Amino acid sequence: MSIRIVLVRPAHPGNIGSAARAMKTMALDELWLVSPQRLPASEAIALAAGAEDVLANARVVSDLQAAVADCGLIVGTTARARHLSWRIIEARGAAAEIAAAAETSHVAVLFGAERTGLENDELRLCHILLTIPTGSAYTSLNLAMAVQVVAYELQLALRARTGIDAPSKDGPVPLASATDMEKFYEQFEQVLREVDFRDRTGYLMARLRRLFNRTVLDQNEVNILRGILTAVQGKRRRAGDPHVVRSEPPP
Amino acid sequence: MSIRIVLVRPAHPGNIGSAARAMKTMALDELWLVSPQRLPASEAIALAAGAEDVLANARVVSDLQAAVADCGLIVGTTARARHLSWRIIEARGAAAEIAAAAETSHVAVLFGAERTGLENDELRLCHILLTIPTGSAYTSLNLAMAVQVVAYELQLALRARTGIDAPSKDGPVPLASATDMEKFYEQFEQVLREVDFRDRTGYLMARLRRLFNRTVLDQNEVNILRGILTAVQGKRRRAGDPHVVRSEPPP
């Protein structure tokens, strides 16, 4: 399948061009741009320096969801270790997981805007977070530099896998796509309403999303979980629960 | 002792600034410039972006020999594997050797000019050559990007030697114990029976255990999931489902 690099709201065209070049040096060529502030720009093209093809083939979309809808593994990058609900993995270990997942699924690696990084609603789409280890005094990697380091680790991880015949731990089942997961979360939310589960914090669905995204479900697993939700709904409907909203008339 | 990054005849001030920033993110601060074509330059300062101190403290010399005279290990960087007389080591392995040598000696890592790399008389000073693995189709890393990758590997290698661990990524909430998890699985299995979910394979609970174990739940999360299961059971009991086995008499 493929590994795509997704720049979310990049502000500086120069960084886009430099990121394209960084990708190409490491044999990555699928660049997605979500709402770039300016493009095309001569500065981007100048800094691409031999990777103009990566830049020319970049997919530009206005919504992050559109860039990751068919991806089985979505990896956010972060400079901070404050995101307690995600598994945060250093670049080297994360690259190994990405290379493994890419054998069956599309994978997206998200880089946030230069100043702010990824926003909370963007992080919510992520299964794991990748962090680049730095010195402690000054941790501010330039965006394109971060792409270079991650692409470098991906290149090494991909090379390590293609050389090694070890059986994949994940098996041949493709990972659940972002679209599959959205349907699962919608059904889960519906079940929670049907059983009158009280959400005292207001963050219940956000927490459940983080919890299940962290697991990185494959397609069989999400089907099993949806089957269980359907069984809960079906059984309750047969039991004549008056709170269940029916779309069809009762038998 | 110290590790110095030596840029030999760099042409573009922007690359000098970017290299300074790349070094600082990885806690390296000793920058030497051998015959830079232009310096100081506003472009270098702009791209240093927080690493102006590294730039301000850079030693500028006209002769490479002056930059490496007191060094015990001199490492050249090269994109090409044509230098048959040297041991050529990939960045990761070279970083380990550099970190080891830096415990007793000054070490210099040399980066050549953007277009030409290190010349033969510069290579002659080197003990080993370092190469950054790239894809095969396009191998042209930008100078500052190459400094970033090498600095990143050096940072990891130094950390591995000093034994300073990465800060723990675990949040303050304790993880769910094995006992907590057993109670959760027991309740889950009970709910599956109550909703008549058919286990066609006979391995359903084993799969669910793998799925949730992989997530590594914390105590809050397992409590939320058990609360949802309890809501499913409670709602169904109130609805008068005859299949529910009660341990206490109905009200």
Side-chain angles (χ1 to χ4, degrees):
Chain A
M1 310 300 277
S2 74
I3 298 174
R4 62 188 67 163
I5 300 294
V6 183
L7 306 185
V8 184
R9 297 172 285 102
H12 301 296
N15 282 336
I16 299 172
S18 291
R21 178 173 175 186
M23 288 170 59
K24 188 163 180 180
T25 61
M26 298 300 162
L28 297 176
D29 58 8
E30 203 178 327
L31 175 62
W32 289 64
L33 304 171
V34 179
S35 298
Q37 290 194 15
R38 283 184 293 144
L39 189 90
S42 59
E43 198 184 349
I45 294 164
L47 284 166
E52 294 85 357
D53 54 337
V54 175
L55 203 57
N57 293 328
R59 299 277 303 269
V60 182
V61 293
S62 58
D63 178 37
L64 175 57
Q65 184 71 43
V68 302
D70 59 345
C71 290
L73 179 64
I74 304 168
V75 182
T77 54
T78 179
R80 291 169 285 278
R82 61 165 190 199
H83 305 295
L84 300 177
S85 302
W86 283 267
R87 206 153 52 90
I88 301 187
I89 311 173
E90 291 194 351
R92 186 158 302 168
E97 298 200 22
I98 292 166
E103 291 181 359
T104 60
S105 308
H106 295 302
V107 181
V109 185
L110 316 185
F111 294 81
E114 286 88 342
R115 285 186 180 278
T116 54
L118 293 168
E119 305 283 356
N120 282 336
D121 62 328
E122 294 156 356
L123 289 168
R124 219 166 278 142
L125 291 168
C126 297
H127 299 100
I128 57 176
L129 297 187
L130 176 158
T131 191
I132 296 174
T134 63
S136 53
Y138 179 80
T139 63
S140 169
L141 260 84
N142 165 267
L143 171 60
M145 292 288 189
V147 172
Q148 180 73 70
V149 170
V150 170
Y152 163 74
E153 286 286 8
L154 286 172
Q155 208 267 329
L156 290 180
L158 290 167
R159 192 178 71 178
R161 282 192 81 80
T162 52
I164 295 169
D165 228 354
S168 164
K169 282 179 202 140
D170 301 314
V173 180
L175 299 176
S177 71
T179 304
D180 295 334
M181 292 304 292
E182 277 311 308
K183 288 179 185 159
F184 165 63
Y185 292 128
E186 281 168 24
Q187 187 178 5
F188 203 156
E189 200 166 5
Q190 174 66 21
V191 167
L192 292 174
R193 277 195 298 272
E194 292 180 15
V195 302
D196 291 343
F197 184 76
R198 284 179 56 210
D199 177 10
R200 277 179 287 236
T201 61
Y203 296 113
L204 178 64
M205 279 313 298
R207 290 202 67 156
L208 290 172
R209 279 171 180 267
R210 287 202 298 269
L211 187 162
F212 283 100
N213 274 354
R214 205 169 66 203
T215 324
V216 191
L217 297 171
D218 68 31
Q219 286 180 5
N220 284 348
E221 289 170 334
V222 79
N223 287 339
I224 289 170
L225 292 175
R226 293 199 64 191
I228 292 170
L229 292 174
T230 300
V232 168
Q233 293 178 305
K235 194 64 192 301
R236 292 187 56 257
R237 284 169 191 176
R238 286 198 299 283
D241 187 312
H243 291 275
V244 176
V245 177
R246 294 168 197 273
S247 56
E248 66 286 321
Chain B
M1 309 301 276
S2 74
I3 299 174
R4 64 189 66 165
I5 300 294
V6 183
L7 304 186
V8 184
R9 297 171 286 104
H12 301 296
N15 282 337
I16 300 172
S18 291
R21 179 173 173 185
M23 288 170 59
K24 189 163 181 180
T25 60
M26 299 300 161
L28 298 176
D29 59 8
E30 203 178 328
L31 175 61
W32 289 62
L33 304 172
V34 179
S35 298
Q37 291 193 16
R38 283 184 293 147
L39 190 90
S42 61
E43 197 184 349
I45 295 164
L47 284 166
E52 294 85 358
D53 54 336
V54 174
L55 204 56
N57 293 328
R59 299 277 301 267
V60 182
V61 294
S62 59
D63 177 39
L64 175 58
Q65 185 68 48
V68 302
D70 58 345
C71 290
L73 178 65
I74 303 168
V75 182
T77 55
T78 179
R80 289 169 288 276
R82 61 163 192 202
H83 306 294
L84 300 176
S85 305
W86 284 267
R87 205 155 50 95
I88 301 187
I89 311 173
E90 291 196 352
R92 187 158 303 168
E97 297 199 23
I98 293 166
E103 291 181 359
T104 59
S105 310
H106 295 301
V107 180
V109 185
L110 316 186
F111 293 81
E114 286 89 341
R115 287 186 179 278
T116 55
L118 293 167
E119 306 284 357
N120 283 337
D121 62 327
E122 294 156 354
L123 289 168
R124 219 165 281 139
L125 291 168
C126 297
H127 298 100
I128 57 176
L129 297 188
L130 176 158
T131 190
I132 296 174
T134 63
S136 53
Y138 179 82
T139 63
S140 169
L141 260 83
N142 163 268
L143 171 59
M145 292 287 190
V147 171
Q148 180 74 72
V149 170
V150 170
Y152 163 75
E153 286 288 8
L154 286 171
Q155 207 267 331
L156 290 180
L158 290 167
R159 193 179 71 180
R161 286 193 78 80
T162 52
I164 297 169
D165 284 329
S168 166
K169 305 297 188 189
D170 292 329
V173 180
L175 297 177
S177 69
T179 305
D180 295 334
M181 292 306 291
E182 277 312 307
K183 287 180 185 161
F184 165 63
Y185 291 129
E186 280 168 24
Q187 187 179 5
F188 203 155
E189 200 166 3
Q190 173 65 22
V191 168
L192 291 174
R193 277 195 298 274
E194 292 179 15
V195 302
D196 289 343
F197 185 76
R198 284 179 54 210
D199 176 10
R200 278 177 286 236
T201 62
Y203 296 112
L204 179 64
M205 280 313 298
R207 290 201 68 155
L208 290 172
R209 279 171 180 266
R210 283 203 302 271
L211 188 162
F212 282 101
N213 278 351
R214 203 170 67 206
T215 326
V216 190
L217 297 170
D218 68 32
Q219 286 180 4
N220 285 348
E221 290 170 333
V222 80
N223 286 339
I224 289 170
L225 292 176
R226 293 199 65 191
I228 292 170
L229 292 173
T230 300
V232 169
Q233 295 178 304
K235 193 64 191 303
R236 292 187 56 258
R237 284 170 191 177
R238 285 198 301 282
D241 188 311
H243 290 275
V244 176
V245 177
R246 294 169 198 272
S247 57
E248 66 285 321

